[in-house]
Amino acid sequence: MEEVKVITTDELEEKLEKKEPVLLVDVREDEEVADGMIPGAKHIKMGDIPANLDYFDKDKEYIFICRSGKRSENVCMYLQDQGYNVRNLVGGMLDWHGKVE
């Protein structure tokens, strides 16, 4: 099985500061995202990912976010197996020091 590509919170923050186009997907539960999400992230709970495959485009790269990086890594493995281009945010929101909304 192919290893999941990763991005650090610092690398993501740099991309956002440079206004680089990034597609962020937060897979946390509703009560978790109530505390704030990275600006521009789309919220699709981990359990809802299989039902929302039509949202994803295999020609684009998506960065997945959760609290610590474990659930998003599992989502990345699942989507990567389906042929999607994905990255996992290492450390998740626990390591995120940038803006939230």
Side-chain angles (χ1 to χ4, degrees):
M1 184 151 83
E2 198 180 327
E3 202 171 295
V4 170
K5 289 186 287 186
V6 297
I7 186 169
T8 66
T9 53
D10 289 342
E11 289 168 334
L12 178 56
E13 203 164 351
E14 200 174 294
K15 283 180 175 290
L16 292 173
E17 283 171 9
K18 290 180 180 173
K19 306 254 187 273
E20 288 181 32
V22 290
L23 297 167
L24 306 173
V25 181
D26 194 319
V27 299
R28 296 177 296 158
E29 296 298 315
D30 294 336
E31 58 275 8
E32 293 175 289
V33 298
D35 293 335
M37 290 182 11
I38 297 172
K42 177 157 178 71
H43 180 220
I44 305 174
K45 292 186 287 192
M46 180 179 179
D48 294 341
I49 293 287
N52 284 280
L53 288 181
D54 57 345
Y55 169 77
F56 301 103
D57 180 339
K58 290 185 178 179
D59 295 328
K60 295 179 180 171
E61 181 181 76
Y62 297 88
I63 297 170
F64 287 85
I65 305 158
C66 71
R67 190 179 74 86
S68 69
K70 285 290 177 216
R71 281 176 286 174
S72 51
E73 181 181 38
N74 287 332
V75 169
C76 285
M77 285 192 280
Y78 169 76
L79 288 171
Q80 191 169 275
D81 285 348
Q82 311 280 324
Y84 293 94
N85 185 6
V86 296
R87 271 185 197 266
N88 184 35
L89 182 65
V90 179
M93 293 303 287
L94 290 176
D95 284 353
W96 180 253
H97 301 293
K99 286 188 213 159
V100 294
E101 58 183 27

